[in-house]
Amino acid sequence: MKGKKVKDCCVTLSHVMLPEDANPAGNVHGGVIMKLIDNAAGVVAVRHARCNVVTASIDRLDFHSPGFIGNLLTLRASVNDVGKTSMEIGVRAETEDLMTGQVCHTASAYLTFVALDKDGRPCPVPPLISENDVQNRRRREAKARRTSRLEEKKKEKRCQSSHEGCA
């Protein structure tokens, strides 16, 4: 299977935040931002795998600053690393006050997607080709997060079968 470059799959999506995206005080709901993050990451995953994909997990979702009605929410998403059938996608969300031009880092997230074949079973994804130091660093960090996720899953499984040492 031929590898793919990060730049061939990344995406930038923008949305104007409207009243239906916010609470009565004008703050954009975190769930709206989360949904748009998932959509942007899903586009990247499909571009990389060129098949159906599903969100397997959201490793981190950190909110840094609020968004408001009238802001332009821009999401930048790219593949950080790939496994056999899975991909970690990183997404950065920023809001821009269109009147002042001020841009704020609103949220960041790491999502894992699994590629599916026509029968809905996990299928192989193309290898990732890193082209620079930033992409190499992101791959190393993604591998570390994957190792942590797998250790946490093992711990959860142990705790489900025996409550000793689980808090």
Side-chain angles (χ1 to χ4, degrees), residues 98-127:
L98 293 173
M99 297 303 198
T100 67
Q102 181 180 4
V103 176
C104 294
H105 181 194
T106 302
S108 293
Y110 299 108
L111 301 89
T112 301
F113 281 78
V114 174
L116 302 177
D117 65 16
K118 290 181 169 91
D119 298 319
R121 310 287 302 160
C123 64
V125 297

PDB file of all heavy atoms in Angstrom, residues 98-127:
ATOM      1  N   LEU A  98     -14.690  38.713  13.951  1.00  0.00           N
ATOM      2  CA  LEU A  98     -14.637  39.273  12.596  1.00  0.00           C
ATOM      3  C   LEU A  98     -14.591  40.795  12.583  1.00  0.00           C
ATOM      4  O   LEU A  98     -14.125  41.391  11.615  1.00  0.00           O
ATOM      5  CB  LEU A  98     -15.820  38.753  11.772  1.00  0.00           C
ATOM      6  CG  LEU A  98     -15.773  37.247  11.482  1.00  0.00           C
ATOM      7  CD1 LEU A  98     -17.068  36.801  10.810  1.00  0.00           C
ATOM      8  CD2 LEU A  98     -14.574  36.902  10.612  1.00  0.00           C
ATOM      9  N   MET A  99     -15.035  41.426  13.651  1.00  0.00           N
ATOM     10  CA  MET A  99     -15.005  42.892  13.709  1.00  0.00           C
ATOM     11  C   MET A  99     -13.622  43.433  14.057  1.00  0.00           C
ATOM     12  O   MET A  99     -13.190  44.444  13.528  1.00  0.00           O
ATOM     13  CB  MET A  99     -16.027  43.418  14.718  1.00  0.00           C
ATOM     14  CG  MET A  99     -17.443  43.079  14.343  1.00  0.00           C
ATOM     15  SD  MET A  99     -17.832  43.717  12.689  1.00  0.00           S
ATOM     16  CE  MET A  99     -19.578  43.666  12.727  1.00  0.00           C
ATOM     17  N   THR A 100     -12.923  42.717  14.956  1.00  0.00           N
ATOM     18  CA  THR A 100     -11.613  43.214  15.397  1.00  0.00           C
ATOM     19  C   THR A 100     -10.445  42.462  14.767  1.00  0.00           C
ATOM     20  O   THR A 100      -9.318  42.957  14.768  1.00  0.00           O
ATOM     21  CB  THR A 100     -11.471  43.084  16.931  1.00  0.00           C
ATOM     22  OG1 THR A 100     -11.438  41.689  17.283  1.00  0.00           O
ATOM     23  CG2 THR A 100     -12.599  43.801  17.650  1.00  0.00           C
ATOM     24  N   GLY A 101     -10.705  41.263  14.282  1.00  0.00           N
ATOM     25  CA  GLY A 101      -9.639  40.433  13.723  1.00  0.00           C
ATOM     26  C   GLY A 101      -8.894  39.626  14.773  1.00  0.00           C
ATOM     27  O   GLY A 101      -7.987  38.855  14.440  1.00  0.00           O
ATOM     28  N   GLN A 102      -9.264  39.768  16.050  1.00  0.00           N
ATOM     29  CA  GLN A 102      -8.574  39.028  17.108  1.00  0.00           C
ATOM     30  C   GLN A 102      -8.871  37.536  16.981  1.00  0.00           C
ATOM     31  O   GLN A 102     -10.021  37.120  16.875  1.00  0.00           O
ATOM     32  CB  GLN A 102      -9.004  39.524  18.484  1.00  0.00           C
ATOM     33  CG  GLN A 102      -8.292  38.799  19.605  1.00  0.00           C
ATOM     34  CD  GLN A 102      -8.712  39.290  20.986  1.00  0.00           C
ATOM     35  OE1 GLN A 102      -9.588  40.130  21.124  1.00  0.00           O
ATOM     36  NE2 GLN A 102      -8.095  38.742  22.011  1.00  0.00           N
ATOM     37  N   VAL A 103      -7.795  36.739  17.002  1.00  0.00           N
ATOM     38  CA  VAL A 103      -7.903  35.283  16.903  1.00  0.00           C
ATOM     39  C   VAL A 103      -7.488  34.669  18.238  1.00  0.00           C
ATOM     40  O   VAL A 103      -6.470  35.053  18.813  1.00  0.00           O
ATOM     41  CB  VAL A 103      -7.012  34.741  15.759  1.00  0.00           C
ATOM     42  CG1 VAL A 103      -7.037  33.217  15.721  1.00  0.00           C
ATOM     43  CG2 VAL A 103      -7.455  35.326  14.420  1.00  0.00           C
ATOM     44  N   CYS A 104      -8.294  33.724  18.726  1.00  0.00           N
ATOM     45  CA  CYS A 104      -8.007  33.041  19.987  1.00  0.00           C
ATOM     46  C   CYS A 104      -7.985  31.528  19.768  1.00  0.00           C
ATOM     47  O   CYS A 104      -8.817  30.993  19.028  1.00  0.00           O
ATOM     48  CB  CYS A 104      -9.082  33.346  21.027  1.00  0.00           C
ATOM     49  SG  CYS A 104      -9.124  35.062  21.550  1.00  0.00           S
ATOM     50  N   HIS A 105      -7.038  30.879  20.431  1.00  0.00           N
ATOM     51  CA  HIS A 105      -6.999  29.414  20.443  1.00  0.00           C
ATOM     52  C   HIS A 105      -8.153  28.953  21.329  1.00  0.00           C
ATOM     53  O   HIS A 105      -8.139  29.188  22.532  1.00  0.00           O
ATOM     54  CB  HIS A 105      -5.650  28.946  20.980  1.00  0.00           C
ATOM     55  CG  HIS A 105      -5.488  27.465  21.008  1.00  0.00           C
ATOM     56  ND1 HIS A 105      -4.480  26.863  21.694  1.00  0.00           N
ATOM     57  CD2 HIS A 105      -6.193  26.466  20.437  1.00  0.00           C
ATOM     58  CE1 HIS A 105      -4.561  25.552  21.555  1.00  0.00           C
ATOM     59  NE2 HIS A 105      -5.603  25.295  20.795  1.00  0.00           N
ATOM     60  N   THR A 106      -9.135  28.320  20.739  1.00  0.00           N
ATOM     61  CA  THR A 106     -10.350  27.940  21.450  1.00  0.00           C
ATOM     62  C   THR A 106     -10.289  26.530  22.019  1.00  0.00           C
ATOM     63  O   THR A 106     -10.683  26.303  23.154  1.00  0.00           O
ATOM     64  CB  THR A 106     -11.563  28.087  20.513  1.00  0.00           C
ATOM     65  OG1 THR A 106     -11.609  29.449  20.075  1.00  0.00           O
ATOM     66  CG2 THR A 106     -12.865  27.736  21.197  1.00  0.00           C
ATOM     67  N   ALA A 107      -9.795  25.583  21.237  1.00  0.00           N
ATOM     68  CA  ALA A 107      -9.755  24.193  21.698  1.00  0.00           C
ATOM     69  C   ALA A 107      -8.751  23.393  20.872  1.00  0.00           C
ATOM     70  O   ALA A 107      -8.416  23.780  19.746  1.00  0.00           O
ATOM     71  CB  ALA A 107     -11.139  23.558  21.595  1.00  0.00           C
ATOM     72  N   SER A 108      -8.308  22.289  21.447  1.00  0.00           N
ATOM     73  CA  SER A 108      -7.460  21.313  20.754  1.00  0.00           C
ATOM     74  C   SER A 108      -7.937  19.926  21.123  1.00  0.00           C
ATOM     75  O   SER A 108      -8.413  19.715  22.252  1.00  0.00           O
ATOM     76  CB  SER A 108      -5.995  21.460  21.153  1.00  0.00           C
ATOM     77  OG  SER A 108      -5.461  22.664  20.703  1.00  0.00           O
ATOM     78  N   ALA A 109      -7.796  18.999  20.189  1.00  0.00           N
ATOM     79  CA  ALA A 109      -8.230  17.633  20.462  1.00  0.00           C
ATOM     80  C   ALA A 109      -7.406  16.637  19.662  1.00  0.00           C
ATOM     81  O   ALA A 109      -6.877  16.963  18.596  1.00  0.00           O
ATOM     82  CB  ALA A 109      -9.710  17.470  20.114  1.00  0.00           C
ATOM     83  N   TYR A 110      -7.317  15.419  20.214  1.00  0.00           N
ATOM     84  CA  TYR A 110      -6.724  14.281  19.517  1.00  0.00           C
ATOM     85  C   TYR A 110      -7.795  13.210  19.426  1.00  0.00           C
ATOM     86  O   TYR A 110      -8.373  12.811  20.441  1.00  0.00           O
ATOM     87  CB  TYR A 110      -5.518  13.734  20.276  1.00  0.00           C
ATOM     88  CG  TYR A 110      -4.415  14.739  20.443  1.00  0.00           C
ATOM     89  CD1 TYR A 110      -4.155  15.306  21.685  1.00  0.00           C
ATOM     90  CD2 TYR A 110      -3.640  15.135  19.365  1.00  0.00           C
ATOM     91  CE1 TYR A 110      -3.144  16.239  21.841  1.00  0.00           C
ATOM     92  CE2 TYR A 110      -2.623  16.067  19.516  1.00  0.00           C
ATOM     93  CZ  TYR A 110      -2.387  16.615  20.754  1.00  0.00           C
ATOM     94  OH  TYR A 110      -1.386  17.538  20.905  1.00  0.00           O
ATOM     95  N   LEU A 111      -8.066  12.756  18.212  1.00  0.00           N
ATOM     96  CA  LEU A 111      -9.102  11.755  17.985  1.00  0.00           C
ATOM     97  C   LEU A 111      -8.510  10.551  17.272  1.00  0.00           C
ATOM     98  O   LEU A 111      -7.622  10.704  16.426  1.00  0.00           O
ATOM     99  CB  LEU A 111     -10.229  12.320  17.124  1.00  0.00           C
ATOM    100  CG  LEU A 111     -10.959  13.541  17.673  1.00  0.00           C
ATOM    101  CD1 LEU A 111     -10.281  14.821  17.232  1.00  0.00           C
ATOM    102  CD2 LEU A 111     -12.403  13.545  17.207  1.00  0.00           C
ATOM    103  N   THR A 112      -9.002   9.371  17.609  1.00  0.00           N
ATOM    104  CA  THR A 112      -8.588   8.157  16.917  1.00  0.00           C
ATOM    105  C   THR A 112      -9.753   7.668  16.073  1.00  0.00           C
ATOM    106  O   THR A 112     -10.883   7.554  16.557  1.00  0.00           O
ATOM    107  CB  THR A 112      -8.179   7.059  17.926  1.00  0.00           C
ATOM    108  OG1 THR A 112      -7.110   7.550  18.719  1.00  0.00           O
ATOM    109  CG2 THR A 112      -7.745   5.793  17.202  1.00  0.00           C
ATOM    110  N   PHE A 113      -9.453   7.399  14.809  1.00  0.00           N
ATOM    111  CA  PHE A 113     -10.434   6.857  13.869  1.00  0.00           C
ATOM    112  C   PHE A 113      -9.984   5.485  13.403  1.00  0.00           C
ATOM    113  O   PHE A 113      -8.779   5.235  13.283  1.00  0.00           O
ATOM    114  CB  PHE A 113     -10.579   7.771  12.645  1.00  0.00           C
ATOM    115  CG  PHE A 113     -11.435   8.973  12.901  1.00  0.00           C
ATOM    116  CD1 PHE A 113     -10.938  10.065  13.586  1.00  0.00           C
ATOM    117  CD2 PHE A 113     -12.752   9.014  12.457  1.00  0.00           C
ATOM    118  CE1 PHE A 113     -11.709  11.172  13.845  1.00  0.00           C
ATOM    119  CE2 PHE A 113     -13.538  10.125  12.712  1.00  0.00           C
ATOM    120  CZ  PHE A 113     -13.023  11.206  13.400  1.00  0.00           C
ATOM    121  N   VAL A 114     -10.939   4.618  13.116  1.00  0.00           N
ATOM    122  CA  VAL A 114     -10.665   3.302  12.561  1.00  0.00           C
ATOM    123  C   VAL A 114     -11.283   3.242  11.171  1.00  0.00           C
ATOM    124  O   VAL A 114     -12.435   3.652  10.975  1.00  0.00           O
ATOM    125  CB  VAL A 114     -11.232   2.181  13.461  1.00  0.00           C
ATOM    126  CG1 VAL A 114     -11.064   0.814  12.807  1.00  0.00           C
ATOM    127  CG2 VAL A 114     -10.558   2.213  14.824  1.00  0.00           C
ATOM    128  N   ALA A 115     -10.500   2.736  10.212  1.00  0.00           N
ATOM    129  CA  ALA A 115     -10.970   2.560   8.838  1.00  0.00           C
ATOM    130  C   ALA A 115     -11.781   1.270   8.752  1.00  0.00           C
ATOM    131  O   ALA A 115     -11.431   0.263   9.377  1.00  0.00           O
ATOM    132  CB  ALA A 115      -9.785   2.495   7.885  1.00  0.00           C
ATOM    133  N   LEU A 116     -12.869   1.312   7.985  1.00  0.00           N
ATOM    134  CA  LEU A 116     -13.744   0.146   7.842  1.00  0.00           C
ATOM    135  C   LEU A 116     -13.883  -0.267   6.381  1.00  0.00           C
ATOM    136  O   LEU A 116     -13.988   0.585   5.492  1.00  0.00           O
ATOM    137  CB  LEU A 116     -15.130   0.454   8.404  1.00  0.00           C
ATOM    138  CG  LEU A 116     -15.201   0.869   9.869  1.00  0.00           C
ATOM    139  CD1 LEU A 116     -16.630   1.218  10.249  1.00  0.00           C
ATOM    140  CD2 LEU A 116     -14.640  -0.216  10.778  1.00  0.00           C
ATOM    141  N   ASP A 117     -13.932  -1.582   6.157  1.00  0.00           N
ATOM    142  CA  ASP A 117     -14.164  -2.081   4.801  1.00  0.00           C
ATOM    143  C   ASP A 117     -15.669  -2.098   4.506  1.00  0.00           C
ATOM    144  O   ASP A 117     -16.473  -1.634   5.334  1.00  0.00           O
ATOM    145  CB  ASP A 117     -13.512  -3.457   4.606  1.00  0.00           C
ATOM    146  CG  ASP A 117     -14.116  -4.556   5.468  1.00  0.00           C
ATOM    147  OD1 ASP A 117     -15.239  -4.381   6.020  1.00  0.00           O
ATOM    148  OD2 ASP A 117     -13.472  -5.615   5.605  1.00  0.00           O
ATOM    149  N   LYS A 118     -16.043  -2.647   3.376  1.00  0.00           N
ATOM    150  CA  LYS A 118     -17.455  -2.652   2.953  1.00  0.00           C
ATOM    151  C   LYS A 118     -18.355  -3.462   3.889  1.00  0.00           C
ATOM    152  O   LYS A 118     -19.564  -3.258   3.926  1.00  0.00           O
ATOM    153  CB  LYS A 118     -17.568  -3.166   1.522  1.00  0.00           C
ATOM    154  CG  LYS A 118     -17.016  -2.195   0.509  1.00  0.00           C
ATOM    155  CD  LYS A 118     -17.171  -2.724  -0.906  1.00  0.00           C
ATOM    156  CE  LYS A 118     -16.865  -1.670  -1.910  1.00  0.00           C
ATOM    157  NZ  LYS A 118     -15.542  -1.554  -2.386  1.00  0.00           N
ATOM    158  N   ASP A 119     -17.747  -4.375   4.658  1.00  0.00           N
ATOM    159  CA  ASP A 119     -18.515  -5.190   5.606  1.00  0.00           C
ATOM    160  C   ASP A 119     -18.504  -4.605   7.020  1.00  0.00           C
ATOM    161  O   ASP A 119     -18.996  -5.230   7.963  1.00  0.00           O
ATOM    162  CB  ASP A 119     -17.957  -6.622   5.642  1.00  0.00           C
ATOM    163  CG  ASP A 119     -18.083  -7.314   4.295  1.00  0.00           C
ATOM    164  OD1 ASP A 119     -19.131  -7.150   3.627  1.00  0.00           O
ATOM    165  OD2 ASP A 119     -17.122  -8.008   3.906  1.00  0.00           O
ATOM    166  N   GLY A 120     -17.922  -3.422   7.164  1.00  0.00           N
ATOM    167  CA  GLY A 120     -17.877  -2.779   8.466  1.00  0.00           C
ATOM    168  C   GLY A 120     -16.786  -3.314   9.382  1.00  0.00           C
ATOM    169  O   GLY A 120     -16.825  -3.088  10.592  1.00  0.00           O
ATOM    170  N   ARG A 121     -15.815  -4.021   8.826  1.00  0.00           N
ATOM    171  CA  ARG A 121     -14.698  -4.566   9.596  1.00  0.00           C
ATOM    172  C   ARG A 121     -13.480  -3.657   9.446  1.00  0.00           C
ATOM    173  O   ARG A 121     -13.279  -3.055   8.385  1.00  0.00           O
ATOM    174  CB  ARG A 121     -14.326  -5.975   9.102  1.00  0.00           C
ATOM    175  CG  ARG A 121     -15.493  -6.934   8.971  1.00  0.00           C
ATOM    176  CD  ARG A 121     -16.058  -7.442  10.248  1.00  0.00           C
ATOM    177  NE  ARG A 121     -15.033  -8.123  11.020  1.00  0.00           N
ATOM    178  CZ  ARG A 121     -15.108  -8.349  12.313  1.00  0.00           C
ATOM    179  NH1 ARG A 121     -16.165  -7.948  12.982  1.00  0.00           N
ATOM    180  NH2 ARG A 121     -14.150  -8.965  12.950  1.00  0.00           N
ATOM    181  N   PRO A 122     -12.645  -3.557  10.482  1.00  0.00           N
ATOM    182  CA  PRO A 122     -11.430  -2.744  10.352  1.00  0.00           C
ATOM    183  C   PRO A 122     -10.567  -3.196   9.181  1.00  0.00           C
ATOM    184  O   PRO A 122     -10.447  -4.397   8.911  1.00  0.00           O
ATOM    185  CB  PRO A 122     -10.704  -2.984  11.690  1.00  0.00           C
ATOM    186  CG  PRO A 122     -11.798  -3.334  12.643  1.00  0.00           C
ATOM    187  CD  PRO A 122     -12.794  -4.125  11.829  1.00  0.00           C
ATOM    188  N   CYS A 123     -10.023  -2.222   8.464  1.00  0.00           N
ATOM    189  CA  CYS A 123      -9.191  -2.530   7.301  1.00  0.00           C
ATOM    190  C   CYS A 123      -7.907  -1.693   7.347  1.00  0.00           C
ATOM    191  O   CYS A 123      -7.872  -0.648   7.993  1.00  0.00           O
ATOM    192  CB  CYS A 123      -9.960  -2.310   6.006  1.00  0.00           C
ATOM    193  SG  CYS A 123     -10.449  -0.612   5.689  1.00  0.00           S
ATOM    194  N   PRO A 124      -6.875  -2.145   6.671  1.00  0.00           N
ATOM    195  CA  PRO A 124      -5.590  -1.439   6.703  1.00  0.00           C
ATOM    196  C   PRO A 124      -5.684  -0.027   6.119  1.00  0.00           C
ATOM    197  O   PRO A 124      -6.470   0.231   5.200  1.00  0.00           O
ATOM    198  CB  PRO A 124      -4.673  -2.309   5.844  1.00  0.00           C
ATOM    199  CG  PRO A 124      -5.341  -3.630   5.750  1.00  0.00           C
ATOM    200  CD  PRO A 124      -6.812  -3.378   5.889  1.00  0.00           C
ATOM    201  N   VAL A 125      -4.857   0.857   6.686  1.00  0.00           N
ATOM    202  CA  VAL A 125      -4.757   2.224   6.183  1.00  0.00           C
ATOM    203  C   VAL A 125      -3.351   2.431   5.620  1.00  0.00           C
ATOM    204  O   VAL A 125      -2.408   1.745   6.027  1.00  0.00           O
ATOM    205  CB  VAL A 125      -5.054   3.279   7.274  1.00  0.00           C
ATOM    206  CG1 VAL A 125      -6.490   3.151   7.759  1.00  0.00           C
ATOM    207  CG2 VAL A 125      -4.092   3.175   8.429  1.00  0.00           C
ATOM    208  N   PRO A 126      -3.202   3.361   4.676  1.00  0.00           N
ATOM    209  CA  PRO A 126      -1.871   3.621   4.115  1.00  0.00           C
ATOM    210  C   PRO A 126      -0.910   4.137   5.181  1.00  0.00           C
ATOM    211  O   PRO A 126      -1.315   4.811   6.129  1.00  0.00           O
ATOM    212  CB  PRO A 126      -2.123   4.714   3.069  1.00  0.00           C
ATOM    213  CG  PRO A 126      -3.586   4.681   2.793  1.00  0.00           C
ATOM    214  CD  PRO A 126      -4.240   4.186   4.049  1.00  0.00           C
ATOM    215  N   PRO A 127       0.376   3.815   5.025  1.00  0.00           N
ATOM    216  CA  PRO A 127       1.361   4.390   5.946  1.00  0.00           C
ATOM    217  C   PRO A 127       1.416   5.908   5.798  1.00  0.00           C
ATOM    218  O   PRO A 127       0.999   6.455   4.774  1.00  0.00           O
ATOM    219  CB  PRO A 127       2.682   3.747   5.520  1.00  0.00           C
ATOM    220  CG  PRO A 127       2.413   2.947   4.310  1.00  0.00           C
ATOM    221  CD  PRO A 127       0.947   2.949   4.027  1.00  0.00           C
TER     222      PRO A 127
END
